[in-house]
Amino acid sequence: ETGVTQTPRHLVMGMTNKKSLKCEQHLGHNAMYWYKQSAKKPLELMFVYNFKEQTENNSVPSRFSPECPNSSHLFLHLHTLQPEDSALYLCASSQEQGSNTEAFFGQGTRLTVV
Amino acid sequence: QKEVEQDPGPLSVPEGAIVSLNCTYSNSAFQYFMWYRQYSRKGPELLMYTYSSGNKEDGRFTAQVDKSSKYISLFIRDSQPSDSATYLCAMKKAGNQFYFGTGTSLTVIP
């Protein structure tokens, strides 16, 4: 248990569905991230939130819509996805200030788009 | 040129061997260096975290950072089958953008 919890762990959705991924961190961090992990590729940063404000949107298609209602919760809303969006979606958090700025990850949501 | 380069392997070693995993990077502004272990179908787990140059040891694991060469290493002593996983290096400068390697797949054979 790393202090970052993601739900659901697995999700299968059709291309016309709408679903949401949820992330909650219990570490008191002020930055939260969404990453996409595909086979044989480095982690791809999607979004960064710092103190609930989005500070990074890494040219992510609009079919992915993040929401950060507070410093502890992060959502990724999905709609009209494509099969190539199938991947492991990872949430992470970190403390921006101070000497301990390493990121802690959740277990990920394995997404399959059919 | 990629910000972080990491040999994807796969790397296969016998149980008890010393494993050396490496990453190189191009940005001299990186100050924080991390190693993560990722088991299949799980999220990355932080193994080692180092600020600036030098060595850090934790049990069977040693992390080394050589900023002059832009090179970081993770050594695993007395490797065990349970060490079989993908190892990701990561680094960052001031701010909250992390740069990850592609990961090295390691198998320790009993």
Side-chain angles (χ1 to χ4, degrees):
Chain A
E1 177 58 53
T2 63
V4 181
T5 304
Q6 287 187 246
T7 55
R9 292 294 308 278
H10 303 275
L11 178 61
V12 179
M13 60 186 288
M15 289 190 282
T16 58
N17 290 161
K18 287 185 181 181
K19 295 286 184 183
S20 295
L21 310 184
K22 180 183 176 182
C23 177
E24 183 175 0
Q25 58 99 358
H26 316 278
L27 301 168
H29 290 164
N30 52 27
M32 296 187 76
Y33 312 75
W34 281 115
Y35 285 90
K36 176 183 178 183
Q37 188 176 39
S38 304
K40 309 295 184 188
K41 290 185 178 180
L43 286 169
E44 297 175 50
L45 178 64
M46 300 176 74
F47 302 104
V48 181
Y49 278 82
N50 211 341
F51 291 103
K52 303 188 303 178
E53 300 297 322
Q54 188 179 119
T55 58
E56 189 89 25
N57 176 340
N58 212 21
S59 302
V60 180
S62 60
R63 57 186 184 269
F64 295 92
S65 174
E67 179 190 358
C68 188
N70 55 60
S71 296
S72 300
H73 293 86
L74 186 63
F75 295 89
L76 188 63
H77 304 299
L78 316 171
H79 64 99
T80 60
L81 294 192
Q82 305 297 311
E84 60 264 29
D85 296 322
S86 299
L88 182 67
Y89 287 84
L90 291 162
C91 173
S93 71
S94 70
Q95 185 65 24
E96 177 46 26
Q97 286 126 6
S99 59
N100 296 327
T101 62
E102 63 271 41
F104 291 86
F105 285 86
Q107 295 287 28
T109 296
R110 174 70 58 184
L111 174 67
T112 303
V113 181
V114 298
Chain B
Q1 184 185 12
K2 290 181 187 177
E3 298 266 14
V4 180
E5 299 273 3
Q6 183 176 11
D7 185 341
L11 183 61
S12 186
V13 301
E15 184 175 354
I18 296 174
V19 176
S20 173
L21 303 167
N22 310 295
C23 287
T24 59
Y25 62 95
S26 56
N27 193 333
S28 57
F30 289 141
Q31 301 176 53
Y32 305 93
F33 304 90
M34 290 139 277
W35 285 96
Y36 290 86
R37 177 176 61 197
Q38 187 174 21
Y39 292 115
S40 179
R41 302 188 175 277
K42 296 287 181 73
E45 169 196 9
L46 180 69
L47 272 181
M48 301 288 280
Y49 171 71
T50 311
Y51 171 66
S52 195
S53 282
N55 294 359
K56 185 173 183 178
E57 189 173 319
D58 184 0
R60 296 184 295 111
F61 298 91
T62 300
Q64 284 186 354
V65 175
D66 183 347
K67 291 189 75 178
S68 61
S69 302
K70 298 192 182 68
Y71 188 88
I72 68 170
S73 300
L74 177 71
F75 297 97
I76 307 174
R77 289 182 299 281
D78 187 26
S79 55
Q80 303 295 309
S82 57
D83 296 328
S84 299
T86 296
Y87 289 80
L88 298 160
C89 64
M91 44 201 82
K92 69 189 289 282
K93 42 194 173 176
N96 53 13
Q97 180 150 6
F98 291 82
Y99 296 82
F100 287 88
T102 50
T104 300
S105 176
L106 171 68
T107 301
V108 179
I109 302 167

